Amino acid sequence: MLSPRGSERDGYPDWLDRLEREIRPSLAVRLRIWCRRRARRLMAALGVVLLLAAAAGAAGYGYRQLRHSAAAPSPAVTGAPATAGPTASLDVFADTPAANWPAGAAGIVLPPARPTGGFTGAEVSAGLTRVRAAVLTARLDRAFMTGGSPTPLLRHFAPDARESVRKDWSAETIATYATRLAPDARLTPDQPRTKGRFTYRAVRRADGVRMLEVTSNFVWVYGFRDLGSRSGHSVVLLHDEIVWRLPHAGDVARADRGLWLHRMSSYGWGMDCDAVKHGLIRPGGLDLTATPLTEDPDALYDPDHPIELPVSC
């Protein structure tokens, strides 16, 4: 029911209504009145806006953190020295027959030691262990391979046998039974792959001296950083067959006791033949003046492959 125009409404006198019509409030005043009347709805809307903004900000922060974590180096890599050129692949041996071979010393396994030819089982075991130690130094010890001294290898030999090893140090012969890296050659972090075996027997020299003769026949495959390669790495293969002799301690003077080199031969693949002439190993191409290889290079990885190879350095 409409109230008479001149009557009071809700307890307010009608003159107040007239006063409101006669006084025209400014825009700012009217805006405050409008906001006051709609305060609850404005607060609710503002709360929704702030909630959405907070959610969007949290999502953005999470995305930035995820990108940062993916780009940051892992703790194991932090502080590692930077290397120029392509990064060596972790699968440097992946495309070779050596891909599943044992790494490093794991491939150098001794046969069971049994008494033979006047040598006890313990003496055979000690002799085999001595040969294995010399092989590990000669072909797998990085400090020795990159160093400039034969001393780490010499200590495995009998005192009177060391002079001949010293003479081999800067000659092609050293590469037959030991690995010396050229100064500019860099191995990848991968351990070399090895495959082969030891055999042994007892022999007697013409003068009656008993000898434990140990033959090592191994293929060694090294991964090198190679800036000339598209992948940034390459492999070098060495196959050696070495006959080591240890005279019976009761048959010789003290200076003759220990390890001697009796016979050795080897071939290589994927190496710089000019460096080999100085007893050094680095990756490189084939010798173009040599007889071309007529067989599959993968066959060279077989320890039973004949050592005589016309294309070898």
Side-chain angles (χ1 to χ4, degrees):
M1 183 177 188
L2 296 176
S3 302
R5 183 175 180 81
S7 64
E8 294 181 356
R9 296 172 299 174
D10 300 326
Y12 288 90
D14 58 357
W15 60 266
L16 185 61
D17 188 46
R18 290 194 303 272
L19 182 61
E20 183 179 346
R21 288 196 300 271
E22 293 173 0
I23 301 174
R24 296 185 179 278
S26 66
L27 179 61
V29 173
R30 279 184 287 174
L31 183 60
R32 283 199 301 271
I33 294 172
W34 185 87
C35 290
R36 190 178 297 118
R37 291 177 178 176
R38 294 165 175 79
R40 288 187 178 179
R41 276 181 284 181
L42 285 174
M43 290 300 293
L46 181 61
V48 172
V49 172
L50 291 175
L51 183 61
L52 291 175
Y61 176 79
Y63 174 70
R64 289 192 297 273
Q65 288 295 102
L66 181 63
R67 290 191 61 191
H68 175 74
S69 299
S74 64
V77 178
T78 301
T83 56
T87 301
S89 169
L90 295 178
D91 297 324
V92 62
F93 307 107
D95 297 327
T96 74
N100 297 316
W101 289 7
I108 316 302
V109 180
L110 293 176
R114 298 184 176 90
T116 182
F119 290 86
T120 66
E123 289 171 333
V124 171
S125 177
L128 289 171
T129 299
R130 191 157 193 169
V131 173
R132 183 178 187 270
V135 166
L136 291 178
T137 297
R139 293 300 195 191
L140 296 178
D141 186 338
R142 295 198 181 208
F144 165 74
M145 292 190 294
T146 58
S149 170
T151 300
L153 184 60
L154 292 177
R155 63 171 57 106
H156 296 290
F157 287 85
D160 278 359
R162 295 172 184 173
E163 185 58 31
S164 63
V165 178
R166 286 193 184 94
K167 291 179 180 178
D168 292 342
W169 184 245
S170 297
E172 184 174 355
T173 307
I174 192 69
T176 308
Y177 59 92
T179 302
R180 289 190 61 205
L181 299 185
D184 59 344
R186 297 291 182 271
L187 292 172
T188 67
D190 311 88
Q191 292 191 63
R193 299 299 189 258
T194 61
K195 186 177 183 180
R197 60 186 174 273
F198 291 102
T199 57
Y200 64 91
R201 65 174 183 165
V203 297
R204 189 182 292 270
R205 288 192 330 205
D207 59 1
V209 174
R210 293 167 292 175
M211 311 283 289
L212 179 65
E213 186 176 275
V214 180
T215 300
S216 61
N217 181 357
F218 283 90
V219 176
W220 314 87
V221 185
Y222 301 89
F224 281 87
R225 301 184 186 276
D226 187 354
L227 300 183
S229 170
R230 179 177 300 179
S231 63
H233 60 73
S234 61
V235 298
V236 166
L237 176 150
L238 296 172
H239 179 191
D240 60 38
E241 185 176 70
I242 304 169
V243 179
W244 314 77
R245 281 187 169 181
L246 297 101
H248 195 287
D251 294 351
V252 295
R254 183 178 297 275
D256 289 334
R257 296 174 188 171
L259 203 58
W260 289 77
L261 285 166
H262 179 63
R263 188 173 63 251
M264 58 230 176
S265 57
S266 69
Y267 64 74
W269 181 258
M271 66 180 65
D272 184 337
C273 291
D274 289 334
V276 172
K277 294 174 183 177
H278 302 283
L280 302 173
I281 303 297
R282 71 156 67 91
L286 295 175
D287 183 354
L288 299 179
T289 64
T291 304
L293 185 69
T294 58
E295 63 179 316
D296 183 356
D298 284 358
L300 302 178
Y301 288 77
D302 186 354
D304 290 328
H305 190 284
I307 291 292
E308 294 75 20
L309 189 67
V311 77
S312 183
C313 296

